[in-house]
Amino acid sequence: MEPVVEHSMSHNYFLVILSYIIAAVSAYAAIELARRVNSTNRSAQHMWILAGGATLGLGIWSMHFIAMLAHEALRPVTYSIPLVFLSVVIAMAGCILGFLIVSRHTTHPALAGAGILMGISIASMHYVGMGAIQGVTILYNSWLAVLSLAIAIAASLVALWIGFFSKYAKQKIDLELKVFFSLLMGVAIFGMHYVGMLASSFTFLEGNDLNVTGIEPSLLAWLVTAITVLLFAIFFLSLSLDRHLRRRELIQATILDSTTDAVVTTTKDGLIQYANTAFYRLFDQSDEQFFQDYHPSLTIQQPFYEARRVDVDELTIEVTSYPLKGETMDQVLWFLRDVSETIASQRLVEHMAFHDALTDLPNRYKLERILADHIRIEDPVACLYIDIDRWRFLSDMLGHNGSDDLALQIADRLKHTIHPDDILTRVGSSEFIILLFDKRSTLAKQKAEKCIKAISQPFNIDGTTVELTMSAGISHYPKDTTTADELVQYARLAVHESKRTGKNQIKEFEDESKQQILRTVEIEKALAQALDREEFNLVYQPKISLTHNRLEGVEALLRWHHPVLGQVGPDEFIPIAENTGMIHQIGAWVMRESCRAWVRWHKAGVKPFTLSINVSPLQFAREDFVETLQAMLDSTGMDPMFLELEVTESSMLSYEASTREKLTQLHQFGILISLDDFGTGYSSFRQLRELPVQVLKIDRSFITNLFTDRNQEAIVRSMIQLGHNLGMKVLMEGVETSDQLEWLLNERCDYVQGYYFSRPLREKDVVKHVKSVTTYIEFGKTRT
């Protein structure tokens, strides 16, 4: 027997360093393994525990044998193949079981048990590996052997604690820290081997054939190194591939979680494989495993690629499914989108498209649909067309907010007049249509009377009392027409006819009046182009002063000759112009052209006289009326001291505060104001006294029956006296006979105008008239 080998044997330092590197790399692999086990699902954990545990055990085993081979004195020996294989199995099994225990139960008892198991298996691997040496007898120092076992257990506990229990197990570990832990663990693993080797004493046996019974050390060194490097390469390549896949999955998951649509993958049975954050947020729960548990309609029975809507609580969800097949997959991909707001927006847009924005009543487009539906089933329909009188004047006086408030109040009153089966619509700023169906279609006139009664009650608009009148037209299906368009058009035509007969009138469409109504429509169309085509012209009616027997001035009168319609009277087209808003352009043209004519007369050497111009209530109601008039006087050169504005009672007395302010401004400019058509309105003595009016102009209707009706004579006499008592001049329109003139002279009327003195004159004839006529009254009976 050979002498005992001392512990201070010489070493191959390259193999020592290599064994330490393998120990450190094994520790690094352990840390990476723990992170994979902690951050993957159950099926992936099994894979990483088996693969990683085997790699870790193999690494520690490789470190052991390479470190043993580093002992030069042990190079002549051989190794038992069964024991070498058993040692690697012990190392791999111990590591796998240790990681498996702590991955299932992250408790301190589990940590202790797993650490002890791993430490014993590593120590067992060491001493079984030592036992694989053939041709030597090994004696162990018990204390050093126990110390090596303690080091193995301690190293295992530290490795498991770092991987599963420390804060680094739950967060990302920096590369520097992982390397530090790996080097530290490498020292512990290598230290366990070194202590174990110190505990061993070797005695070589004589006559033992080392080359027959086992593996030669050099061959074992190359084999162990090659296998270890290969397995480490495969392991770290798998880590790199896994990191790449996890990074891609992270990007995909981030994309899926960042989308507002819910994305789910399920098996064919509905078992949820994946669901993004939006899905659980959509259903506000995450404890169900099957897709159909969230809603019975979410089943595979739904056709693929076709979106359908599912109502869940107060939400409407659009669901689309796609098959996922191939690569051993047989799953379903689901996209779910909350379309509640979209549907609400679509409904709102549709509602806005078919309802009036201010009153929320059905509009003209909704009206057309309703009529089309009822006409399709041949249901009798009555179309009651309502138009509020003087709306443009009211809008100008009240302003935008005031007119909106008035429209809302009108709509509210009309709502209260209709039957639940009737339909109220708003088709214009001041126009409403009520539809009555079936047997109720015969009650259209009674409905119109009810509406007139409702509208006639005073309205309060921001403290201002407003009294309204309306005009109504009625047409019937199928009596008057068989189409929806004509039904509405005929009702509107009937409204035009009702306006001709006065206020608060109701007119049913009749074929006999169709031509007259159509003429009204034609006038409305032609009026829009009359100014551009220069179809208007002005004539001037002389105004005579009875006190001074001379020409006091002229009144500008508008005339319109249309090439097709012929001569259209002001009483026919002025109401239409006011209703369409054309009166503003026409009125401005009249004022501008008549002022220019006055300037031309003055330049022709005619002694200045008063120019009277009629002002529509709509013109006068505009806020910028005074400023516009002043600018026109400046541009034309007209002297405001010779301008007289004739304003009707209705426009002057409807809104006292604003009217008084405008009249005061005009009076300050030197402009005269006359109250036109006096006696046809509702003037009060107090109102007349407070307004700066210089002339009362009595309507021609009062002189027609002057001598046949004693009451009429008394009325005109009182009007003249009223004007004088208020300090005003009085003018009588429509004087045509000498008897009328004689009576007015006796009653001391100040001014007259009429055919008795002259018909309206063209601009060039005014100069001739002024130069040729010097006196108008001779003994109150004749004219020169």
Side-chain angles (χ1 to χ4, degrees):
M1 182 178 291
E2 293 292 331
V4 176
V5 178
E6 300 293 334
H7 296 299
S8 57
M9 295 181 290
S10 61
H11 293 78
N12 186 328
Y13 290 104
F14 171 75
L15 292 178
V16 171
I17 294 172
L18 177 61
S19 66
Y20 173 73
I21 291 174
I22 291 175
V25 172
S26 299
Y28 188 91
I31 295 173
E32 285 290 344
L33 167 66
R35 291 190 65 248
R36 291 299 186 278
V37 173
N38 284 333
S39 61
T40 56
N41 55 43
R42 183 61 60 87
S43 60
Q45 282 181 355
H46 293 157
M47 180 193 71
W48 283 112
I49 288 172
L50 289 173
T55 303
L56 179 59
L58 180 63
I60 297 174
W61 173 82
S62 300
M63 180 277 305
H64 164 72
F65 273 95
I66 290 175
M68 281 201 308
L69 293 172
H71 289 274
E72 296 290 345
L74 296 177
R75 279 189 172 275
V77 302
T78 59
Y79 294 85
S80 169
I81 294 176
L83 291 179
V84 169
F85 180 75
L86 178 60
S87 66
V88 71
V89 170
I90 291 172
M92 293 171 61
C95 290
I96 291 173
L97 290 174
F99 280 108
L100 185 62
I101 291 171
V102 293
S103 68
R104 292 290 181 270
H105 308 285
T106 53
T107 62
H108 288 92
L111 172 63
I116 293 171
L117 176 63
M118 282 184 63
I120 292 174
S121 67
I122 292 171
S124 300
M125 176 273 302
H126 172 81
Y127 290 105
V128 171
M130 295 287 287
I133 300 174
Q134 299 180 131
V136 297
T137 299
I138 305 173
L139 298 177
Y140 297 100
N141 183 313
S142 301
W143 293 105
L144 291 177
V146 171
L147 179 60
S148 67
L149 175 61
I151 293 174
I153 293 173
S156 299
L157 287 171
V158 172
L160 292 174
W161 179 82
I162 292 174
F164 292 92
F165 291 84
S166 70
K167 65 178 182 180
Y168 308 109
K170 300 177 178 61
Q171 62 186 31
K172 183 179 180 181
I173 308 177
D174 293 333
L175 178 62
E176 295 83 359
L177 190 59
K178 283 194 289 188
V179 171
F180 172 75
F181 283 149
S182 302
L183 295 175
L184 189 63
M185 288 292 298
V187 170
I189 297 171
F190 187 79
M192 181 276 301
H193 169 80
Y194 185 75
V195 172
M197 293 299 291
L198 286 177
S200 306
S201 297
F202 303 93
T203 302
F204 289 90
L205 302 175
E206 294 180 359
N208 187 41
D209 189 355
L210 301 175
N211 297 320
V212 177
T213 60
I215 301 176
E216 185 187 25
S218 60
L219 177 61
L220 180 62
W222 282 108
L223 183 61
V224 170
T225 303
I227 293 174
T228 303
V229 171
L230 178 62
L231 289 178
F232 275 175
I234 293 173
F235 180 75
F236 283 102
L237 180 63
S238 66
L239 288 179
S240 177
L241 179 61
D242 177 68
R243 186 179 293 109
H244 173 72
L245 294 175
R246 288 164 67 88
R247 184 182 298 113
R248 188 175 68 177
E249 290 176 358
L250 177 62
I251 294 173
Q252 292 174 345
T254 303
I255 293 173
L256 292 175
D257 280 340
S258 63
T259 182
T260 56
D261 291 349
V263 181
V264 183
T265 58
T266 69
T267 64
K268 295 181 66 175
D269 297 329
L271 180 64
I272 295 177
Q273 302 293 308
Y274 168 82
N276 66 351
T277 305
F279 173 75
Y280 295 117
R281 188 167 54 243
L282 182 64
F283 287 95
D284 196 25
Q285 57 179 340
S286 59
D287 55 346
E288 303 292 348
Q289 294 185 352
F290 286 89
F291 194 46
Q292 55 267 29
D293 292 338
Y294 289 92
H295 194 276
S297 299
L298 303 177
T299 65
I300 195 64
Q301 303 303 322
Q302 173 180 335
F304 292 129
Y305 311 110
E306 295 181 10
R308 66 189 180 97
R309 290 176 177 174
V310 176
D311 292 326
V312 179
D313 296 330
E314 297 180 356
L315 301 179
T316 300
I317 300 174
E318 186 178 78
V319 183
T320 311
S321 60
Y322 302 89
L324 292 177
K325 295 185 177 181
E327 299 296 333
T328 70
M329 283 194 308
D330 189 7
Q331 298 179 349
V332 181
L333 173 65
W334 303 82
F335 288 96
L336 298 89
R337 175 179 299 173
D338 182 3
V339 293
S340 304
E341 291 187 5
T342 303
I343 294 174
S345 298
Q346 290 174 347
R347 289 173 179 170
L348 178 60
V349 169
E350 183 177 357
H351 183 85
M352 292 173 63
F354 293 101
H355 288 78
D356 177 58
L358 178 63
T359 62
D360 203 39
L361 292 174
N363 60 13
R364 184 180 297 276
Y365 303 109
K366 185 67 172 179
L367 173 75
E368 292 173 355
R369 284 193 171 189
I370 294 171
L371 285 176
D373 291 341
H374 283 272
I375 289 177
R376 185 169 55 252
I377 61 176
E378 298 183 352
D379 189 15
V381 182
C383 179
L384 170 57
Y385 202 115
I386 295 172
D387 189 7
I388 306 301
D389 298 325
R390 300 193 309 153
W391 184 258
R392 292 187 180 275
F393 165 70
L394 293 167
S395 297
D396 289 335
M397 291 302 300
L398 293 171
H400 179 73
N401 292 334
S403 60
D404 282 353
D405 188 11
L406 181 58
L408 285 169
Q409 292 190 39
I410 292 171
D412 185 62
R413 290 193 187 181
L414 292 177
K415 286 178 185 177
H416 285 84
T417 67
I418 66 171
H419 189 273
D421 295 335
D422 303 337
I423 294 179
L424 172 64
T425 66
R426 188 183 187 214
V427 295
S429 56
S430 64
E431 298 164 297
F432 299 83
I433 288 180
I434 298 177
L435 299 177
L436 299 92
F437 307 104
D438 200 14
K439 295 179 180 179
R440 290 191 53 78
S441 62
T442 60
L443 306 175
K445 190 168 184 179
Q446 293 90 319
K447 179 66 64 178
E449 293 171 349
K450 194 173 182 180
C451 292
I452 290 175
K453 185 177 179 181
I455 295 298
S456 297
Q457 300 300 316
F459 291 83
N460 187 302
I461 307 298
D462 195 20
T464 300
T465 299
V466 179
E467 295 185 359
L468 300 181
T469 60
M470 56 167 271
S471 300
I474 300 172
S475 61
H476 293 270
Y477 167 86
K479 173 188 173 184
D480 299 322
T481 179
T482 58
T483 67
D485 289 341
E486 287 186 351
L487 184 68
V488 175
Q489 181 185 10
Y490 288 171
R492 186 167 178 266
L493 294 177
V495 169
H496 282 288
E497 186 66 15
S498 67
K499 286 183 178 293
R500 289 166 48 86
T501 58
K503 309 296 183 183
N504 288 334
Q505 298 298 310
I506 305 169
K507 181 70 176 179
E508 294 203 53
F509 178 79
E510 298 175 356
D511 285 336
E512 294 77 10
S513 59
K514 187 174 181 178
Q515 293 304 316
Q516 179 59 44
I517 295 174
L518 290 175
R519 174 176 169 82
T520 301
V521 176
E522 290 299 320
I523 290 174
E524 183 177 320
K525 293 179 181 178
L527 198 59
Q529 300 176 325
L531 276 176
D532 295 336
R533 295 178 176 178
E534 299 181 349
E535 296 172 357
F536 289 119
N537 66 287
L538 293 174
V539 293
Y540 302 90
Q541 176 75 50
K543 295 167 59 176
I544 312 303
S545 171
L546 298 183
T547 305
H548 300 97
N549 193 17
R550 68 182 184 193
L551 180 72
E552 179 65 22
V554 295
E555 177 184 0
L557 302 174
L558 180 63
R559 297 291 183 262
W560 178 27
H561 183 79
H562 188 267
V564 177
L565 298 174
Q567 197 71 31
V568 184
D571 58 337
E572 194 173 14
F573 71 79
I574 290 296
I576 298 175
E578 290 180 335
N579 189 50
T580 59
M582 282 293 298
I583 192 63
H584 296 292
Q585 301 175 45
I586 295 173
W589 182 87
V590 170
M591 191 170 294
R592 183 172 53 253
E593 292 302 316
S594 57
C595 287
R596 288 174 178 173
W598 185 93
V599 172
R600 287 192 289 268
W601 293 329
H602 183 59
K603 291 180 178 179
V606 176
K607 184 179 178 180
F609 50 77
T610 302
L611 171 66
S612 297
I613 302 175
N614 288 281
V615 178
S616 166
L618 293 177
Q619 285 179 275
F620 191 76
R622 291 181 67 114
E623 293 182 1
D624 61 347
F625 174 76
V626 177
E627 291 77 8
T628 302
L629 175 59
Q630 187 177 13
M632 194 173 296
L633 292 174
D634 293 339
S635 64
T636 60
M638 170 75 185
D639 188 344
M641 300 296 293
F642 293 94
L643 178 63
E644 179 182 3
L645 299 182
E646 297 187 4
V647 188
T648 61
E649 276 188 278
S650 57
S651 61
M652 294 181 68
L653 301 176
S654 294
Y655 296 90
E656 299 178 35
S658 59
T659 299
R660 188 180 300 108
E661 183 179 350
K662 290 179 183 177
L663 293 177
T664 301
Q665 287 181 285
L666 296 173
H667 184 67
Q668 291 172 351
F669 295 154
I671 298 174
L672 297 174
I673 304 296
S674 66
L675 189 61
D676 195 14
D677 298 336
F678 180 66
T680 60
Y682 307 96
S683 307
S684 69
F685 183 80
R686 180 187 62 82
Q687 292 171 319
L688 289 175
R689 184 177 58 190
E690 293 178 354
L691 294 175
V693 176
Q694 288 80 41
V695 180
L696 285 182
K697 193 171 183 181
I698 303 175
D699 187 71
R700 66 177 67 248
S701 61
F702 288 94
I703 202 172
T704 303
N705 300 319
L706 184 64
F707 302 118
T708 58
D709 187 347
R710 285 186 170 274
N711 292 330
Q712 195 80 330
E713 185 177 343
I715 291 173
V716 175
R717 183 180 294 112
S718 64
M719 287 181 177
I720 296 173
Q721 291 175 355
L722 174 62
H724 289 162
N725 291 337
L726 294 172
M728 303 177 187
K729 301 294 184 180
V730 179
L731 183 146
M732 187 71 209
E733 294 182 304
V735 178
E736 297 184 357
T737 67
S738 59
D739 291 335
Q740 293 172 343
L741 178 60
E742 189 77 30
W743 188 90
L744 292 170
L745 279 170
N746 292 332
E747 296 298 330
R748 298 185 179 181
C749 183
D750 301 286
Y751 308 121
V752 293
Q753 68 180 88
Y755 287 177
Y756 181 79
F757 298 101
S758 173
R759 288 184 172 276
L761 305 171
R762 293 178 297 178
E763 179 185 337
K764 62 180 181 179
D765 295 331
V766 171
V767 178
K768 297 178 182 178
H769 179 84
V770 171
K771 292 182 177 180
S772 62
V773 180
T774 57
T775 182
Y776 289 86
I777 305 171
E778 185 175 343
F779 305 115
K781 293 183 180 180
T782 60
R783 55 181 176 149
T784 303

